[in-house]
Amino acid sequence: MGTHGAAGPWREAFAPPTLSNIGPGFDCLGIAVEGPGDRVRARRVETPGVRLLSIEGDGGKLSRDTDKNTAAVAVAALLQRYAPRAGVELELHKGLPLGSGLGSSGASACAALIAAKAALGLDIGSHQLVDLAREGERVACGSAHPDNVTPGIIGGIVMIPTLEPLRCISLPVPKDLWFALYTPGCEVSTKHAREVLPARVRLDETVRHAARLGLLVHALHVGDLALLGEAIVDDIVEPVRAGLIPGYPDAKAAAVEAGAIACSISGAGPTTFAIAASEARAAVLLEILEESFTNAGVPGQGRVSRVSEGARLVSRPLH
Ligand code: HSE
């Protein structure tokens, strides 16, 4: 139970959904996008440590155990490194579906860190917050990959070229970049979707992959969406994971046929993104994705979206 008498004020933060991998950027490229995300409230209490008071919006699926919940794990790491004698209470409101490929586990960690940092009045830089949020990813799926939590904290389109030391590079956002995002009605476990990946990759595949990632960064710098489309191709990870998402190959083929600049899986999936150069074209692609996944028996939810900023405090709390 919380120590209500000596508790500080609640601070609330929102973290956006994030797309990751984006074709050739497996584990090193992510994008924060507009849409419903996760919210976390945090307040300082006298009793040291982290307590997770409530989780809403998860259908009862997430563990309430503070050693297993990404929000609590990230804040525990924050306390350990920056405020070992402090105590924090958390309330988590999930706006992102679990196992969706929209960085749900990372969003909880990012929102929790921004809220807890404010509740404790700590001065911690964004790189340090990314490092802490990665601890949440480690417990969620056994891998501390940075490509959801980095855009989750920093916002925009972000490349993470090295982990030791952690380097985060914000890339330019082309002004006409629009997304159709569709989340079919099935879950993909990130842990499983990582276990099925090949342990080794052929040299010729690696060369093509590296060249595409270089082209992608160049395309963003010159703001050329056609080049970006050429770069968003993944012959290594996507073919393996396509089989985990009912209807994905047909949905992608239909989106490409309809003129999508690119179409691929976000993260471990099943969220599928298609890129367009206008809101109207993105809306058309969204209808096409919706029809394909509905025909495949996995109707879900989608939206037209744009690149967004990262996690931030909200002044008008939900509660
Ligand atoms: N890069 C990670 C993966 C993202 O594709 O496994 C998972 O959210």
Side-chain angles (χ1 to χ4, degrees), residues 11-18 36-43 69-72 74-75 78 88-96 103-119 129-130 132-134 148-154 310-314:
R11 303 303 303 268
E12 181 165 329
F14 166 87
T18 50
D38 283 5
R39 286 178 177 239
V40 174
R41 297 209 311 160
R43 68 175 178 175
N69 180 274
T70 61
V75 173
L78 177 146
V88 174
E89 290 180 343
L90 299 175
E91 294 180 350
L92 168 60
H93 182 96
K94 292 294 299 177
L96 283 168
S104 176
S105 55
S108 299
C110 292
L113 288 168
I114 296 294
K117 175 187 156 182
L129 291 173
V130 168
L132 297 167
R134 288 176 57 221
N148 294 110
V149 296
T150 309
I153 293 286
I154 293 173
R312 61 256 186 199
L313 289 173
V314 291

Side-chain angles (χ1 to χ4, degrees), residues 38-269:
D38 283 5
R39 286 178 177 239
V40 174
R41 297 209 311 160
R43 68 175 178 175
R44 182 182 48 73
V45 292
E46 282 193 345
T47 311
V50 181
R51 273 161 301 283
L52 183 55
L53 302 185
S54 63
I55 307 179
E56 289 171 22
D58 67 327
K61 289 184 182 166
L62 284 178
S63 172
R64 270 57 184 165
D65 184 339
T66 47
D67 292 336
K68 296 193 178 127
N69 180 274
T70 61
V73 166
V75 173
L78 177 146
L79 295 185
Q80 190 185 5
R81 284 187 215 170
Y82 299 100
R85 283 190 286 280
V88 174
E89 290 180 343
L90 299 175
E91 294 180 350
L92 168 60
H93 182 96
K94 292 294 299 177
L96 283 168
L98 312 181
S100 62
L102 288 170
S104 176
S105 55
S108 299
C110 292
L113 288 168
I114 296 294
K117 175 187 156 182
L120 296 172
L122 295 172
D123 182 17
I124 306 174
S126 52
H127 279 49
Q128 285 72 27
L129 291 173
V130 168
D131 242 348
L132 297 167
R134 288 176 57 221
E135 293 309 316
E137 296 290 52
R138 196 189 306 280
V139 296
C141 66
S143 145
H145 57 272
D147 46 336
N148 294 110
V149 296
T150 309
I153 293 286
I154 293 173
I157 305 178
V158 194
M159 159 69 62
I160 307 98
T162 62
L163 292 177
E164 304 282 347
L166 180 74
R167 290 162 81 202
C168 312
I169 298 176
S170 291
L171 294 169
V173 179
K175 70 174 175 15
D176 295 328
L177 182 62
W178 288 86
F179 298 100
L181 308 178
Y182 196 79
T183 306
C186 55
E187 267 184 41
V188 172
S189 145
T190 302
K191 188 166 187 294
H192 174 66
R194 294 181 77 84
E195 285 166 357
V196 296
L197 296 178
R200 290 175 182 276
V201 178
R202 287 204 325 257
L203 181 62
D204 60 334
E205 288 175 333
T206 310
V207 170
R208 281 202 302 274
H209 212 71
R212 285 176 184 138
L213 189 53
L215 182 64
L216 186 152
V217 172
H218 172 71
L220 291 175
H221 275 281
V222 296
D224 186 326
L225 292 184
L227 272 189
L228 182 67
E230 271 185 53
I232 299 180
V233 177
D234 168 14
D235 294 332
I236 296 173
V237 175
E238 184 182 311
V240 183
R241 287 179 168 176
L244 303 177
I245 305 170
Y248 174 75
D250 287 347
K252 174 170 176 155
V256 170
E257 166 84 9
I261 288 169
C263 181
S264 191
I265 302 168
S266 173

